[in-house]
Amino acid sequence: MFGNLKPQAPDKILALMGEFRADPRQGKIDLGVGVYKDPTGLTPVMRAVKEAERRIWEAETTKSYTALTGEPAYLDALSAMVLGGVRDSARTAMLSTVGGTGAIRQAFEMARMGNPDVTVHVSDPTWPNHVSMLKFMGLPFVEYRYFDATTRGVDFEGMKADLARAKKGDLVLLHGCCHNPTGANLTLEQWAEVVAILERTGAVPLVDLAYQGFGDGLDEDAAGTRLVVSSLPDALVAASCSKNFGIYRERAGLLMVQVADPAQRDLAQGALAFLGRQTYSFPPDHGARIVQTILEDGALAADWRAELEQVRLGMLSLRQQLAAELRNLTGSDRFDFIERHRGMFSRLGATPEQVQKIKDDNAIYLVGDSRLNIAGLNRDSVPVLARAIVEAGV
């Protein structure tokens, strides 16, 4: 049986992490891995998370299964945070998932159940695991233009032209905020134009909201998602708690499926329960319970929001510093896009050879497509990166 297995292509980011760990040079800088780091290089446990865990530990009396589709109070609290006042409970089915990746995978499965002939439209570029999952599942997909390599902004005219070719019942995957890997985001006015295209074509949006709170604020980062959900009859939203709650290893996520008719909601909820049962049976609960505990307690929620805001502002400050350093070194404003981007990532637009030179000469590790993790920097390492970028000829 197992002699028929074929070697799998290694994940490029995970391979880069291994290469970084093996590098003996002092002062090496990891800007590849997609996790938040504080100025000391630590991915910290947030204060509210620690307090929530303490309360859970003291109050918990059983480790029996939670509900098949997840703890209802968790589903209610997180969906309210994501959708705010546009949540329509009568039309929305929900599933607690194994992180945001689990939500995306179940969304793909749900789309295939609803339309066996579905084609998925993904941005060029997108998070590599989106495409990897689609290939593994055998789902057809096409790319729509998104990133303008010259301006390092959104190629919105190209995006609109490509999305206009989507067919009724197709799935359009949109990044809710803090686009990964580019950092270039739609304005709310552009979101409205995308919604109009989806209305005309009958394609169904799937919003991947993995970084809510990392860009312009919790509500601001959800504005595009809320516009989509409030404007269209059918929509899917995949949310992750890994980044904004800092609970990466706890794998807490949520898939929301909004249907056109409240009469269809129970069918959708049953389909989600079926998918969960076939995949992992009952969902994990510890991370979900942490999120629920925080969001249900006013003081804990306020402390969490305050610390999340510190994280967000810290990344903005690093963006501003890096753009200023590059402006001083080059005498031009051609790197000012770094300051305009949002979230953890920016795509520099460097060639693979330039990325390799930055690594070889300076022990600075970027992903091969020149994606850099802003949160991997601190005030001392920003000037080092800026010089490396200029010396590499970017």
Side-chain angles (χ1 to χ4, degrees):
M1 176 189 291
F2 299 115
N4 295 322
L5 293 176
K6 298 179 180 179
Q8 301 298 313
D11 184 288
K12 293 180 180 179
I13 296 177
L14 297 180
L16 188 71
M17 290 169 59
E19 190 178 347
F20 175 82
R21 286 193 294 268
D23 191 329
R25 287 177 287 180
Q26 295 293 317
K28 58 186 179 179
I29 303 172
D30 179 11
L31 303 181
V33 64
V35 299
Y36 170 77
K37 297 179 183 179
D38 68 14
T40 70
L42 177 69
T43 302
V45 180
M46 299 179 83
R47 296 185 301 267
V49 169
K50 275 189 170 293
E51 175 59 20
E53 287 190 301
R54 185 190 65 79
R55 294 183 188 182
I56 293 166
W57 181 78
E58 289 180 350
E60 197 168 46
T61 59
T62 182
K63 290 291 184 182
S64 184
Y65 295 119
T66 186
L68 181 60
T69 55
E71 187 65 30
Y74 163 71
L75 301 175
D76 183 68
L78 185 56
S79 62
M81 186 193 87
V82 172
L83 297 181
V86 306
R87 181 183 59 170
D88 186 346
S89 299
R91 296 169 51 215
T92 305
M94 295 187 284
L95 178 69
S96 178
T97 60
V98 185
T101 302
I104 291 291
R105 174 60 187 266
Q106 298 293 49
F108 290 156
E109 296 282 8
M110 191 73 171
R112 179 161 59 182
M113 289 178 71
N115 177 14
D117 298 321
V118 67
T119 294
V120 182
H121 299 252
V122 300
S123 65
D124 177 21
T126 191
W127 181 46
N129 213 24
H130 287 152
V131 172
S132 178
M133 283 189 280
L134 290 168
K135 288 180 176 178
F136 179 75
M137 295 173 69
L139 279 176
F141 68 93
V142 295
E143 294 180 328
Y144 59 84
R145 282 169 285 178
Y146 186 84
F147 187 64
D148 186 321
T150 301
T151 66
R152 273 76 155 184
V154 177
D155 177 7
F156 192 56
E157 294 305 313
M159 179 184 183
K160 289 191 295 182
D162 290 348
L163 289 184
R165 293 195 285 267
K167 301 185 299 294
K168 184 176 181 179
D170 280 355
L171 191 69
V172 175
L173 177 56
L174 301 162
H175 294 234
C177 67
C178 306
H179 186 273
N180 179 6
T182 70
N185 297 300
L186 299 176
T187 65
L188 195 57
E189 292 75 20
Q190 289 171 332
W191 274 103
E193 293 190 55
V194 170
V195 166
I197 293 171
L198 295 173
E199 285 179 318
R200 289 196 299 270
T201 62
V204 176
L206 163 58
V207 182
D208 183 356
L209 190 61
Y211 299 95
Q212 185 183 0
F214 268 33
D216 292 307
L218 272 173
D219 290 324
E220 293 84 352
D221 289 348
T225 303
R226 293 172 183 176
L227 181 62
V228 166
V229 168
S230 63
S231 303
L232 298 171
D234 296 324
L236 299 94
V237 179
S240 170
C241 300
S242 295
K243 286 80 177 179
N244 50 15
F245 286 88
I247 52 173
Y248 298 85
R249 65 177 61 177
E250 305 297 354
R251 313 309 299 137
L254 171 65
L255 174 61
M256 291 167 277
V257 180
Q258 177 178 278
V259 295
D261 188 339
Q264 301 170 340
R265 188 230 174 237
D266 288 348
L267 282 175
Q269 190 63 60
L272 289 177
F274 173 81
L275 286 173
R277 183 68 165 161
Q278 305 315 303
T279 310
Y280 45 76
S281 197
F282 292 85
D285 183 62
H286 186 69
R289 191 76 58 163
I290 291 169
V291 172
Q292 174 194 334
T293 301
I294 291 171
L295 293 179
E296 288 183 339
D297 183 278
L300 275 185
D303 188 45
W304 165 70
R305 285 174 178 265
E307 188 167 2
L308 178 60
E309 184 68 357
Q310 290 175 347
V311 167
R312 185 184 76 84
L313 293 176
M315 287 188 288
L316 285 180
S317 176
L318 290 169
R319 287 187 174 282
Q320 293 162 0
Q321 184 189 357
L322 180 57
E325 290 280 352
L326 287 164
R327 201 177 303 123
N328 291 335
L329 289 173
T330 63
S332 77
D333 60 1
R334 61 192 179 92
F335 289 101
D336 281 5
F337 65 87
I338 293 172
E339 189 172 350
R340 294 191 296 270
H341 286 174
R342 288 294 182 269
M344 288 201 298
F345 305 120
S346 275
R347 177 180 272 195
L348 283 178
T351 66
E353 294 76 20
Q354 290 168 331
V355 171
Q356 186 68 39
K357 180 175 175 58
I358 290 171
K359 180 177 68 174
D360 291 344
D361 294 353
N362 302 276
I364 299 174
Y365 285 73
L366 313 178
V367 179
D369 64 0
S370 76
R371 185 195 83 171
L372 68 93
N373 180 3
I374 290 291
L377 294 166
N378 59 40
R379 295 195 65 81
D380 294 331
S381 59
V382 164
V384 179
L385 173 63
R387 286 194 301 273
I389 290 171
V390 173
E391 290 170 359
V394 178

